[in-house]
Amino acid sequence: MSVPEPMIVFDGVEKRFGSNVVLHDLSFTVSPGEHVTLIGPSGSGKTTILRLLMTLEKVDEGTISVGGRYLSHQDKGGTLVPADERYSREVRKRIGMVFQQFNLFPNMTVRGNLIEGPTRVLGLSRDEANTRAADLLELVGLSDKIDAHPTQLSGGQQQRVAIARALAMHPDVLLLDEVTSALDPELVAGVLALLRDLGETTDITFLCVTHEMGFARDFSHRVMMFDGGRVIEDAAPEQLFTAPEHERTKSFLQAVLDH
Amino acid sequence: MPLWDWSYAFSILPDLLLALVTTIEITVLGSVVALLLGLVIAVLRRARIPVLDQVLWAFVELVRSTPLLVQVFFLFFALPRFGIELSAFVIGVLALGVHYATYTSEVYRAGIDAVPQGQWEAATALSLPRSRVWTGVVLPQAIPRVLPALGNYVISMFKEVPLLLAIGVVEVVNEARELGSETFRYVEPYTIAGVLFLLLSYPASLLVRRLERRRVSA
Ligand SMILES: Nc1ncnc2c1ncn2[C@@H]1O[C@H](COP(=O)(O)OP(=O)(O)O)[C@@H](O)[C@H]1O
Ligand SMILES: [Mg+2]
């Protein structure tokens, strides 16, 4: 049996903010199509990992690669040098991200948000991009909102458009950072149902930070528990949620469940 | 001699209106320079390119800490020394435009800073090219916010055009001065000049205020 080449590789990654080391010598891999959920207390470095992948932050030590290509480094004649903007934009095209605060462009309609990347980055014609936008809106159940402005939508609707916007780029990897944390409780279920659906119908690789333990449990193939910038437990959800090995994982899960 | 002579006042009105056209032309052209150059300065400064950033900073500080009149004289007398022969009109437009560009650049900067960080990040996540991030995402959000402030600078500039009489530009106040010196009647021409400024800048400032109110309620 051949082992597929990993989609994401973190190799000895260290990230510092000033003198504050937030990720320590972090190494892990994610397989193509795998759904990995990151859990752990606030400040443990989960968001930083996603931001490094999106090149919103720079690594201080180590390397990250996506789909077999270095993200923040370029191989120039056998030596690794920091990647330039054009190169990292090329690699980054394969990665999409959905944010806690949606971050839709308020100066554009829903349609404008959805065709922006496909027309400006992927080089689709307007017609092709419009067709793709209409299909995606149907998928997220918002076909009637195509000409609405983001401010006219509820939080849940905005987040579903944001997911559609990321999908419009046909990403190999989708990063989800607490995408339901800013939503009113009654809107959370709709967004999670959409994500479950995507998990089943696409072969996208998901890296997901969430406090929704029920969702983490049935969406993930693997859960990584973070604490203080280190992975302290990395296991299948059935294992991690029912029989956690570490005391720290137990108390964290207890605290989340009590909440 | 009466303080106010209506028939004299009417007789000089056409000349003053003609000069007012010059004032408006200078304001419009100077505004174009100020609005475009200020935008370029603000965008370049945001990129924080070493050396260029310090140069722009020094230039902005220099222009803002010296009187406009000194800058007008400087351009008027220094440019010919470098073999650049420009009319007083063009020098007036450039001096006002560059001077006000240093103010509008600060206004744009405030507008750009007010665009949430998440917008830049969403643009990065879509891999949008830098130029498109500016033209498609950041500036369309930043500029509407600062339109009232920009409008106020245009009105200020309009009222500073008479400064150019120092280099012989025949705008309204200079025309009034010349008309007065022909007849030794100064009250009518200067009063009319003042009224003309009032008639234009007051409605303009009302318009700006309406724009401000619309921003607040939107
Ligand atoms: N831009 C930043 N500047 C300084 N410190 C930061 C910055 N972003 C994150 N941090 C710090 O890095 C650590 C990890 O943060 P984060 O990755 O957001 O954690 P999590 O998402 O797990 O809550 C925290 O201690 C946080 O204060
Ligand atoms: Mg976080």
Side-chain angles (χ1 to χ4, degrees):
Chain A
M1 202 181 91
S2 71
V3 182
E5 195 179 335
M7 181 58 87
I8 300 171
V9 179
F10 272 60
D11 186 9
V13 170
E14 178 169 306
K15 176 64 192 170
R16 299 183 291 262
F17 289 108
S19 61
N20 181 16
V21 183
V22 299
L23 297 176
H24 304 264
D25 190 21
L26 180 66
S27 298
F28 65 87
T29 63
V30 178
S31 303
E34 198 176 16
H35 303 170
V36 174
T37 297
L38 312 179
I39 63 170
S42 174
S44 57
K46 306 178 299 291
T47 294
T48 302
I49 289 170
L50 302 192
R51 292 175 60 85
L52 284 170
L53 272 164
M54 203 67 262
T55 67
L56 296 171
E57 304 285 356
K58 286 194 160 61
V59 290
D60 292 307
E61 303 286 343
T63 58
I64 300 173
S65 59
V66 173
R69 292 174 76 184
Y70 285 115
L71 187 61
S72 39
H73 298 80
Q74 247 168 307
D75 196 335
K76 280 218 174 115
T79 51
L80 289 186
V81 298
D84 60 32
E85 168 65 17
R86 231 178 99 206
Y87 172 89
S88 62
R89 196 149 53 87
E90 209 51 41
V91 184
R92 174 164 91 207
K93 271 187 203 171
R94 313 182 58 175
I95 311 171
M97 184 161 184
V98 183
F99 303 86
Q100 188 174 342
Q101 298 296 338
F102 332 132
N103 296 344
L104 292 177
F105 304 131
N107 56 310
M108 302 176 190
T109 61
V110 167
R111 181 202 305 277
N113 272 274
L114 294 184
I115 68 172
E116 181 69 16
T119 55
R120 302 279 170 176
V121 180
L122 304 181
L124 263 63
S125 73
R126 247 191 127 71
D127 279 350
E128 292 167 324
N130 272 323
T131 309
R132 191 179 282 193
D135 290 348
L136 283 166
L137 277 184
E138 195 179 326
L139 176 75
V140 303
L142 291 171
S143 291
D144 54 328
K145 302 292 185 193
I146 191 152
D147 293 315
H149 277 272
T151 48
Q152 298 167 316
L153 305 179
S154 73
Q157 291 171 332
Q158 288 187 53
Q159 194 59 299
R160 281 187 278 157
V161 172
I163 292 169
R165 179 174 69 176
L167 291 173
M169 299 296 286
H170 287 180
D172 295 326
V173 176
L174 198 52
L175 310 172
L176 308 172
D177 191 9
E178 300 197 33
V179 297
T180 57
S181 295
L183 299 181
D184 292 334
E186 73 272 19
L187 302 175
V188 170
V191 171
L192 293 182
L194 170 63
L195 292 175
R196 281 195 185 90
D197 192 37
L198 289 175
E200 278 164 24
T201 56
T202 70
D203 50 13
I204 295 174
T205 306
F206 283 90
L207 203 55
C208 154
V209 175
T210 183
H211 291 301
E212 298 287 337
M213 292 304 151
F215 171 76
R217 193 174 178 140
D218 51 43
F219 179 76
S220 325
H221 303 129
R222 220 170 103 206
V223 179
M224 296 204 289
M225 167 75 194
F226 273 83
D227 195 24
R230 291 190 168 84
V231 184
I232 61 166
E233 198 160 348
D234 181 345
E238 308 81 53
Q239 162 79 33
L240 193 132
F241 287 118
T242 51
E245 275 183 11
H246 284 258
E247 221 28 69
R248 193 70 193 86
T249 313
K250 273 179 216 167
S251 60
F252 172 74
L253 291 175
Q254 198 59 50
V256 174
L257 291 178
D258 285 348
H259 185 72
Chain B
M1 202 154 85
L3 182 63
W4 184 267
D5 180 343
W6 277 108
S7 68
Y8 173 60
F10 277 113
S11 74
I12 59 173
L13 191 55
D15 283 341
L16 286 171
L17 285 175
L18 216 61
L20 181 67
V21 172
T22 304
T23 306
I24 294 172
E25 281 170 356
I26 291 174
T27 307
V28 170
L29 294 173
S31 298
V32 170
V33 173
L35 295 176
L36 289 181
L37 182 63
L39 182 61
V40 169
I41 293 174
V43 170
L44 284 178
R45 290 214 59 190
R46 174 86 193 196
R48 297 209 175 78
I49 301 162
V51 185
L52 179 65
D53 195 40
Q54 281 78 354
V55 169
L56 287 173
W57 173 83
F59 178 73
V60 168
E61 290 305 313
L62 176 77
V63 171
R64 291 177 65 147
S65 349
T66 52
L68 175 56
L69 184 58
V70 172
Q71 292 159 18
V72 169
F73 278 138
F74 177 79
L75 290 180
F76 189 70
F77 293 111
L79 286 184
R81 298 268 176 122
F82 295 101
I84 304 169
E85 300 282 348
L86 298 171
S87 68
F89 178 92
V90 172
I91 285 176
V93 167
L94 284 179
L96 281 166
V98 170
H99 185 82
Y100 276 89
T102 63
Y103 289 93
T104 60
S105 74
E106 289 296 303
V107 170
Y108 285 120
R109 188 185 55 77
I112 291 165
D113 286 351
V115 174
Q117 192 58 28
Q119 293 291 309
W120 293 89
E121 296 181 352
T124 303
L126 287 179
S127 299
L128 295 182
R130 214 71 193 141
S131 58
R132 181 60 191 167
V133 178
W134 281 109
T135 58
V137 177
V138 175
L139 294 180
Q141 295 180 55
I143 291 176
R145 272 180 237 259
V146 297
L147 276 183
L150 294 174
N152 280 327
Y153 277 125
V154 169
I155 295 170
S156 295
M157 187 192 290
F158 172 59
K159 290 184 292 185
E160 291 230 58
V161 173
L163 209 74
L164 300 179
L165 71 77
I167 56 169
V169 175
V170 185
E171 44 63 61
V172 176
V173 176
N174 202 359
E175 179 68 26
R177 194 178 56 89
E178 279 178 13
L179 290 167
S181 67
E182 284 163 14
T183 56
F184 298 104
R185 295 200 62 102
Y186 286 100
V187 174
E188 289 89 349
Y190 281 135
T191 305
I192 294 171
V195 169
L196 290 177
F197 273 100
L198 181 74
L199 285 179
L200 286 175
S201 52
Y202 184 64
S205 63
L206 286 185
L207 200 77
V208 167
R209 233 170 285 167
R210 239 179 61 192
L211 219 65
E212 252 160 16
R213 236 173 298 134
R214 205 163 51 198
R215 287 300 308 170
V216 171
S217 62

